[in-house]
């Protein structure tokens, strides 16, 4: 669902960050709503992710049943498949449950991914 | 008491952080209540810690008599025994006593632990 | 359990505030730990509450089963019985449960209490 | 859907506040997700709102199509019908859309409501 | 340019706030860009301002030459003409110029406006 | 030195605030530099203070020897003489000297000033 | 020990605030050091308190044995005796002891003091 | 449009940072206004950028149609062409659109630029 | 005066931090009180510093005449002599004097100390 | 004008930081006042800078005409000449002009300075 556009500066190493506090899904075990802030930071390769498609993509989790670790790793996988970035960091900051706040962070580097 | 579930992304190095400000125990010398914020950050190995069991585990200190240095090191030991993480950082931020705030931080790396 | 000492300035209307973030009890329904910040603000009458006895008094809820509304009202009742203040405000800020933060505030005035 | 329990201190005027940043619904016109922080503050009458039913009630808007003004007023109406409070304030802080943050606040007083 | 929709709760006194930090215009004397945060708070009468038209309205100042006092008063006049609110507060927080930050605030009440 | 321009909305009661953290003068006793943040808030009468002349006016204290109480009262007097406001509040927040921060606040109302 | 200077604006009602976080004394019961932030806010009468003498005055508590309630009330008494202010507010914010932060606030009005 | 002046300390490696929250342009696709905070940090070479020309340069984007990635890269290119810095970092923090905040960061090093 | 207890985890490299904002001494030149926040961070060797003795130790400077640079270095020397830590950082943040805030930081490493 | 005193711990590498928000000078081109926060951080060599002379030194710029880049570099040069530090960092944070905040930072190392 993630769409891409040409990277306007392919020869240059630079960083694009997206941050949203409007992420919600359902918890895989209980079906209860979960809420998170999602941060995505990447160095683009040949293409950049188009921002409106990113919004729709993140919104598509609204009715999905997910685990905390699973959903952050899946965003990484989908993002890599869609735009093959040079590097990519994704962090999900999940709101307090049972008095505990949980953060899951994945750092991806294209060179390590063989 | 810490229970584990399979790591959904065993081949990937990524980080899971837990933070709670709802930790209390009793001080070993005086038996008085102590309060702390506990932060746990780890790179999972084969398994991940199940979050509800973590809540129960941290709650089990409520009636235990502990020293500041001792309790943080014991969380490290219990966590390592339960889920054998690649790396693990545990920090306890203990509330002011006698005008002094105390923080104890342990960084564990599986490679150093032979 | 609350002990009192003579008010050193009986003829003067002034305010004494106590704030602690180290309050814990058990939830009446589930027996699970609850955590709160408690604020007590009062205009003393003939006597003032002795601070060490206040600490012990608040600590005595540690193993009690309480409701949010109940515990704040009970602190008001115990405080009034112990030191008969001119006015008294008690607020309990209970930590997030189910994504909801709850605050219970009681304002007491000796003139209204006939 | 809001359930009530007996007010443990019917004779006393005191305040109960609920705050959550985990509110989401769909926008009536576009069907797009909207996010808000909801604050509810009330002086209870004969009964108090039971907190778990409040969580379920607020969660029930997840798939509803609403307007900003409409949803805050509807929470007021449902809350009044369920527990007939002495006073009630409800505020919805809706996240930025088109560069504009919107807040809708309703103050209700039982005495004015004849 | 401000468009209106029916107030869904005409019989009730409640407040709608809009806040944006994305306001820009040109200074009347020098033609230089000026930037401000604009806050609009009103109790609606028969109609509410439609939010997308508000965004377009505030954007229409982009190429206008204005004075600080003038532009805030003009937003009040336009808003009153468009939706005849019961009360209306408009504040413009203009960014630092010459080391001085300027704020202009207008409070309007329909009852005083005869 | 303060210059004025016509108030564009003479019939309306509204407020203009100026804030600067760039105020400096010399202390009357020692000749040492003093620094302050100055806030000026007024309801204009027939005229408004022109902002560039305000900047020059506040800058004119740079080499003046002043007392804290004196300088805030003098700004009030000069401002009243220049633009005859309906109300005027001036506050000077002077930086720490000898471990003590000092604030001097004057509230002026034209009706009281006969 | 508090010295005074003439009020430069006797006919005008205005406010002078002093704030310091550098207050220390000894606790009357244990002899242990206590630390507080002290705020003093007053409307001057015929005279103003000279700031260097205020610094020396507050420093004179360094080796005194005091109670929290007592020391704030004593500052009020000494201040009133020294400069006979129209109104006077004194607040002491004492640092955490036993997990509890204590604030004592006294509001004095010359008209009530007969 | 960027003008330069001689670097007063050519032999020394030091850093000059500019930050402004007053950047606006038009979005290339929709023509809608976009707002950003722009940070520019560089180690000067032979010349420094003259600050007033920087202000005019950043203001020149007001009526330009740009993409987020494009505008930050273009500022880098124009800055390099104008003053040939040793290193240069440019970051654009674009305000929330569709619930997502976007940041584009480019780090340039003269040694890598062959 | 600093007393020690056995390190409960001698084989492990971990960190203990102490922070207090309740430090006061006298200035060596003028005899005036000085105030500071003191931070002590160390990796323990065979023994840990006992916290109550640390409180008494820091309190013992109350009537000592010290220089800023001298007192921080002396805490390092006393701490090293008392518990021979693997590493030790001590920072003193001294409150504003003459408009200047001063911080002195010493980093000690046992390996460098031969 | 900067005076020095003997470093009490010559054999030890440690850091002394000074921060002041009370720096003002005149702009070289326009003669207008400029304001800045100045941070100085150094590892002392044989001598330390005496703090009262630092205050007088920084105050001596009050009537000087300077450029932003020039004044920070000149403080570095004067400081090096006065006390020959091992390392020295000086940063000037100049207040907003034309909507732009400017920071100039110089890092000096005695070993590089031949």
């Amino acid at each position: 669902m993630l769409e891409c556009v040409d990277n306007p500066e392919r020869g240059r190493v630079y960083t694009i960050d997206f941050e949203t506090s409007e992420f919600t899904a359902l918890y895989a075990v209980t079906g209860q709503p979960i809420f998170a802030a999602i941060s995505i930071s990447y160095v683009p390769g040949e293409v950049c992710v188009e921002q409106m498609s990113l919004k729709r993509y993140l919104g598509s989790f609204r009715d999905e049943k997910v685990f905390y670790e699973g959903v952050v790793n899946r965003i990484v996988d989908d993002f890599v498949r869609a735009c093959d970035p040079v590097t990519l960091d994704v962090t999900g900051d999940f709101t307090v449950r049972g008095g505990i706040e949980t953060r899951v962070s994945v750092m991806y580097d294209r060179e390590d991914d063989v």
Side-chain angles (χ1 to χ4, degrees), chain A residues 41-54:
Chain A
S41 177
Y42 75 110
V43 174
E46 299 298 296
V47 291
C48 293
V49 161
E50 196 273 329
Q51 187 172 343
M52 280 302 104
S53 80
L54 176 64

mmCIF file with all atom_site columns, all heavy atoms in Angstrom, chain A residues 41-54:
data_model
loop_
_atom_site.group_PDB
_atom_site.id
_atom_site.type_symbol
_atom_site.label_atom_id
_atom_site.label_alt_id
_atom_site.label_comp_id
_atom_site.label_asym_id
_atom_site.label_entity_id
_atom_site.label_seq_id
_atom_site.pdbx_PDB_ins_code
_atom_site.Cartn_x
_atom_site.Cartn_y
_atom_site.Cartn_z
_atom_site.occupancy
_atom_site.B_iso_or_equiv
_atom_site.pdbx_formal_charge
_atom_site.auth_seq_id
_atom_site.auth_comp_id
_atom_site.auth_asym_id
_atom_site.auth_atom_id
_atom_site.pdbx_PDB_model_num
ATOM 1   N N   . SER A 1 41 ? 12.523 6.803  10.510 1.00 0.00 ? 41 SER A N   1
ATOM 2   C CA  . SER A 1 41 ? 13.642 7.636  10.050 1.00 0.00 ? 41 SER A CA  1
ATOM 3   C C   . SER A 1 41 ? 14.427 6.824  9.033  1.00 0.00 ? 41 SER A C   1
ATOM 4   O O   . SER A 1 41 ? 14.852 5.716  9.333  1.00 0.00 ? 41 SER A O   1
ATOM 5   C CB  . SER A 1 41 ? 14.514 7.990  11.255 1.00 0.00 ? 41 SER A CB  1
ATOM 6   O OG  . SER A 1 41 ? 15.633 8.732  10.846 1.00 0.00 ? 41 SER A OG  1
ATOM 7   N N   . TYR A 1 42 ? 14.626 7.367  7.828  1.00 0.00 ? 42 TYR A N   1
ATOM 8   C CA  . TYR A 1 42 ? 15.343 6.563  6.822  1.00 0.00 ? 42 TYR A CA  1
ATOM 9   C C   . TYR A 1 42 ? 16.213 7.433  5.923  1.00 0.00 ? 42 TYR A C   1
ATOM 10  O O   . TYR A 1 42 ? 15.971 8.626  5.763  1.00 0.00 ? 42 TYR A O   1
ATOM 11  C CB  . TYR A 1 42 ? 14.361 5.731  5.987  1.00 0.00 ? 42 TYR A CB  1
ATOM 12  C CG  . TYR A 1 42 ? 13.549 6.472  4.951  1.00 0.00 ? 42 TYR A CG  1
ATOM 13  C CD1 . TYR A 1 42 ? 13.794 6.292  3.595  1.00 0.00 ? 42 TYR A CD1 1
ATOM 14  C CD2 . TYR A 1 42 ? 12.513 7.326  5.317  1.00 0.00 ? 42 TYR A CD2 1
ATOM 15  C CE1 . TYR A 1 42 ? 13.040 6.950  2.637  1.00 0.00 ? 42 TYR A CE1 1
ATOM 16  C CE2 . TYR A 1 42 ? 11.759 7.978  4.365  1.00 0.00 ? 42 TYR A CE2 1
ATOM 17  C CZ  . TYR A 1 42 ? 12.024 7.803  3.019  1.00 0.00 ? 42 TYR A CZ  1
ATOM 18  O OH  . TYR A 1 42 ? 11.282 8.454  2.084  1.00 0.00 ? 42 TYR A OH  1
ATOM 19  N N   . VAL A 1 43 ? 17.240 6.787  5.387  1.00 0.00 ? 43 VAL A N   1
ATOM 20  C CA  . VAL A 1 43 ? 18.052 7.385  4.321  1.00 0.00 ? 43 VAL A CA  1
ATOM 21  C C   . VAL A 1 43 ? 17.541 6.776  3.025  1.00 0.00 ? 43 VAL A C   1
ATOM 22  O O   . VAL A 1 43 ? 17.646 5.565  2.835  1.00 0.00 ? 43 VAL A O   1
ATOM 23  C CB  . VAL A 1 43 ? 19.547 7.066  4.524  1.00 0.00 ? 43 VAL A CB  1
ATOM 24  C CG1 . VAL A 1 43 ? 20.364 7.553  3.329  1.00 0.00 ? 43 VAL A CG1 1
ATOM 25  C CG2 . VAL A 1 43 ? 20.058 7.692  5.813  1.00 0.00 ? 43 VAL A CG2 1
ATOM 26  N N   . PRO A 1 44 ? 16.973 7.598  2.138  1.00 0.00 ? 44 PRO A N   1
ATOM 27  C CA  . PRO A 1 44 ? 16.344 7.016  0.957  1.00 0.00 ? 44 PRO A CA  1
ATOM 28  C C   . PRO A 1 44 ? 17.376 6.449  -0.031 1.00 0.00 ? 44 PRO A C   1
ATOM 29  O O   . PRO A 1 44 ? 18.511 6.916  -0.095 1.00 0.00 ? 44 PRO A O   1
ATOM 30  C CB  . PRO A 1 44 ? 15.583 8.197  0.335  1.00 0.00 ? 44 PRO A CB  1
ATOM 31  C CG  . PRO A 1 44 ? 16.293 9.405  0.803  1.00 0.00 ? 44 PRO A CG  1
ATOM 32  C CD  . PRO A 1 44 ? 16.840 9.073  2.163  1.00 0.00 ? 44 PRO A CD  1
ATOM 33  N N   . GLY A 1 45 ? 16.942 5.397  -0.764 1.00 0.00 ? 45 GLY A N   1
ATOM 34  C CA  . GLY A 1 45 ? 17.740 4.861  -1.865 1.00 0.00 ? 45 GLY A CA  1
ATOM 35  C C   . GLY A 1 45 ? 17.291 5.514  -3.169 1.00 0.00 ? 45 GLY A C   1
ATOM 36  O O   . GLY A 1 45 ? 17.349 6.732  -3.303 1.00 0.00 ? 45 GLY A O   1
ATOM 37  N N   . GLU A 1 46 ? 16.813 4.705  -4.067 1.00 0.00 ? 46 GLU A N   1
ATOM 38  C CA  . GLU A 1 46 ? 16.380 5.240  -5.358 1.00 0.00 ? 46 GLU A CA  1
ATOM 39  C C   . GLU A 1 46 ? 15.073 6.013  -5.257 1.00 0.00 ? 46 GLU A C   1
ATOM 40  O O   . GLU A 1 46 ? 14.803 6.910  -6.049 1.00 0.00 ? 46 GLU A O   1
ATOM 41  C CB  . GLU A 1 46 ? 16.192 4.087  -6.376 1.00 0.00 ? 46 GLU A CB  1
ATOM 42  C CG  . GLU A 1 46 ? 17.453 3.302  -6.656 1.00 0.00 ? 46 GLU A CG  1
ATOM 43  C CD  . GLU A 1 46 ? 18.535 4.172  -7.267 1.00 0.00 ? 46 GLU A CD  1
ATOM 44  O OE1 . GLU A 1 46 ? 18.331 4.668  -8.388 1.00 0.00 ? 46 GLU A OE1 1
ATOM 45  O OE2 . GLU A 1 46 ? 19.584 4.380  -6.600 1.00 0.00 ? 46 GLU A OE2 1
ATOM 46  N N   . VAL A 1 47 ? 14.243 5.622  -4.295 1.00 0.00 ? 47 VAL A N   1
ATOM 47  C CA  . VAL A 1 47 ? 12.913 6.231  -4.207 1.00 0.00 ? 47 VAL A CA  1
ATOM 48  C C   . VAL A 1 47 ? 12.622 6.697  -2.778 1.00 0.00 ? 47 VAL A C   1
ATOM 49  O O   . VAL A 1 47 ? 13.233 6.234  -1.822 1.00 0.00 ? 47 VAL A O   1
ATOM 50  C CB  . VAL A 1 47 ? 11.812 5.228  -4.634 1.00 0.00 ? 47 VAL A CB  1
ATOM 51  C CG1 . VAL A 1 47 ? 11.910 4.944  -6.136 1.00 0.00 ? 47 VAL A CG1 1
ATOM 52  C CG2 . VAL A 1 47 ? 11.892 3.954  -3.834 1.00 0.00 ? 47 VAL A CG2 1
ATOM 53  N N   . CYS A 1 48 ? 11.663 7.605  -2.663 1.00 0.00 ? 48 CYS A N   1
ATOM 54  C CA  . CYS A 1 48 ? 11.167 8.084  -1.373 1.00 0.00 ? 48 CYS A CA  1
ATOM 55  C C   . CYS A 1 48 ? 9.724  7.593  -1.204 1.00 0.00 ? 48 CYS A C   1
ATOM 56  O O   . CYS A 1 48 ? 9.001  7.434  -2.188 1.00 0.00 ? 48 CYS A O   1
ATOM 57  C CB  . CYS A 1 48 ? 11.141 9.614  -1.331 1.00 0.00 ? 48 CYS A CB  1
ATOM 58  S SG  . CYS A 1 48 ? 12.766 10.371 -1.363 1.00 0.00 ? 48 CYS A SG  1
ATOM 59  N N   . VAL A 1 49 ? 9.315  7.411  0.081  1.00 0.00 ? 49 VAL A N   1
ATOM 60  C CA  . VAL A 1 49 ? 7.938  7.040  0.339  1.00 0.00 ? 49 VAL A CA  1
ATOM 61  C C   . VAL A 1 49 ? 7.054  8.268  0.200  1.00 0.00 ? 49 VAL A C   1
ATOM 62  O O   . VAL A 1 49 ? 7.385  9.338  0.734  1.00 0.00 ? 49 VAL A O   1
ATOM 63  C CB  . VAL A 1 49 ? 7.805  6.413  1.739  1.00 0.00 ? 49 VAL A CB  1
ATOM 64  C CG1 . VAL A 1 49 ? 6.364  6.442  2.216  1.00 0.00 ? 49 VAL A CG1 1
ATOM 65  C CG2 . VAL A 1 49 ? 8.322  4.989  1.711  1.00 0.00 ? 49 VAL A CG2 1
ATOM 66  N N   . GLU A 1 50 ? 5.967  8.116  -0.497 1.00 0.00 ? 50 GLU A N   1
ATOM 67  C CA  . GLU A 1 50 ? 5.026  9.214  -0.682 1.00 0.00 ? 50 GLU A CA  1
ATOM 68  C C   . GLU A 1 50 ? 4.208  9.358  0.609  1.00 0.00 ? 50 GLU A C   1
ATOM 69  O O   . GLU A 1 50 ? 3.657  8.391  1.118  1.00 0.00 ? 50 GLU A O   1
ATOM 70  C CB  . GLU A 1 50 ? 4.124  8.905  -1.892 1.00 0.00 ? 50 GLU A CB  1
ATOM 71  C CG  . GLU A 1 50 ? 3.366  10.098 -2.436 1.00 0.00 ? 50 GLU A CG  1
ATOM 72  C CD  . GLU A 1 50 ? 2.060  10.288 -1.711 1.00 0.00 ? 50 GLU A CD  1
ATOM 73  O OE1 . GLU A 1 50 ? 1.488  9.276  -1.268 1.00 0.00 ? 50 GLU A OE1 1
ATOM 74  O OE2 . GLU A 1 50 ? 1.639  11.451 -1.549 1.00 0.00 ? 50 GLU A OE2 1
ATOM 75  N N   . GLN A 1 51 ? 4.106  10.602 1.136  1.00 0.00 ? 51 GLN A N   1
ATOM 76  C CA  . GLN A 1 51 ? 3.604  10.795 2.490  1.00 0.00 ? 51 GLN A CA  1
ATOM 77  C C   . GLN A 1 51 ? 2.121  10.448 2.666  1.00 0.00 ? 51 GLN A C   1
ATOM 78  O O   . GLN A 1 51 ? 1.728  9.911  3.699  1.00 0.00 ? 51 GLN A O   1
ATOM 79  C CB  . GLN A 1 51 ? 3.845  12.255 2.914  1.00 0.00 ? 51 GLN A CB  1
ATOM 80  C CG  . GLN A 1 51 ? 3.513  12.494 4.372  1.00 0.00 ? 51 GLN A CG  1
ATOM 81  C CD  . GLN A 1 51 ? 3.929  13.869 4.838  1.00 0.00 ? 51 GLN A CD  1
ATOM 82  O OE1 . GLN A 1 51 ? 4.724  14.519 4.197  1.00 0.00 ? 51 GLN A OE1 1
ATOM 83  N NE2 . GLN A 1 51 ? 3.370  14.312 5.960  1.00 0.00 ? 51 GLN A NE2 1
ATOM 84  N N   . MET A 1 52 ? 1.289  10.732 1.687  1.00 0.00 ? 52 MET A N   1
ATOM 85  C CA  . MET A 1 52 ? -0.133 10.413 1.837  1.00 0.00 ? 52 MET A CA  1
ATOM 86  C C   . MET A 1 52 ? -0.345 8.896  1.884  1.00 0.00 ? 52 MET A C   1
ATOM 87  O O   . MET A 1 52 ? -1.191 8.409  2.622  1.00 0.00 ? 52 MET A O   1
ATOM 88  C CB  . MET A 1 52 ? -0.962 11.034 0.706  1.00 0.00 ? 52 MET A CB  1
ATOM 89  C CG  . MET A 1 52 ? -1.268 12.503 0.895  1.00 0.00 ? 52 MET A CG  1
ATOM 90  S SD  . MET A 1 52 ? -2.161 12.873 2.455  1.00 0.00 ? 52 MET A SD  1
ATOM 91  C CE  . MET A 1 52 ? -0.817 13.561 3.470  1.00 0.00 ? 52 MET A CE  1
ATOM 92  N N   . SER A 1 53 ? 0.465  8.157  1.110  1.00 0.00 ? 53 SER A N   1
ATOM 93  C CA  . SER A 1 53 ? 0.329  6.694  1.144  1.00 0.00 ? 53 SER A CA  1
ATOM 94  C C   . SER A 1 53 ? 0.825  6.159  2.492  1.00 0.00 ? 53 SER A C   1
ATOM 95  O O   . SER A 1 53 ? 0.311  5.151  2.985  1.00 0.00 ? 53 SER A O   1
ATOM 96  C CB  . SER A 1 53 ? 1.088  6.052  -0.017 1.00 0.00 ? 53 SER A CB  1
ATOM 97  O OG  . SER A 1 53 ? 2.469  5.954  0.259  1.00 0.00 ? 53 SER A OG  1
ATOM 98  N N   . LEU A 1 54 ? 1.798  6.836  3.093  1.00 0.00 ? 54 LEU A N   1
ATOM 99  C CA  . LEU A 1 54 ? 2.261  6.438  4.434  1.00 0.00 ? 54 LEU A CA  1
ATOM 100 C C   . LEU A 1 54 ? 1.141  6.605  5.439  1.00 0.00 ? 54 LEU A C   1
ATOM 101 O O   . LEU A 1 54 ? 0.914  5.748  6.301  1.00 0.00 ? 54 LEU A O   1
ATOM 102 C CB  . LEU A 1 54 ? 3.470  7.289  4.847  1.00 0.00 ? 54 LEU A CB  1
ATOM 103 C CG  . LEU A 1 54 ? 3.977  7.041  6.267  1.00 0.00 ? 54 LEU A CG  1
ATOM 104 C CD1 . LEU A 1 54 ? 4.492  5.609  6.424  1.00 0.00 ? 54 LEU A CD1 1
ATOM 105 C CD2 . LEU A 1 54 ? 5.078  8.029  6.644  1.00 0.00 ? 54 LEU A CD2 1
#
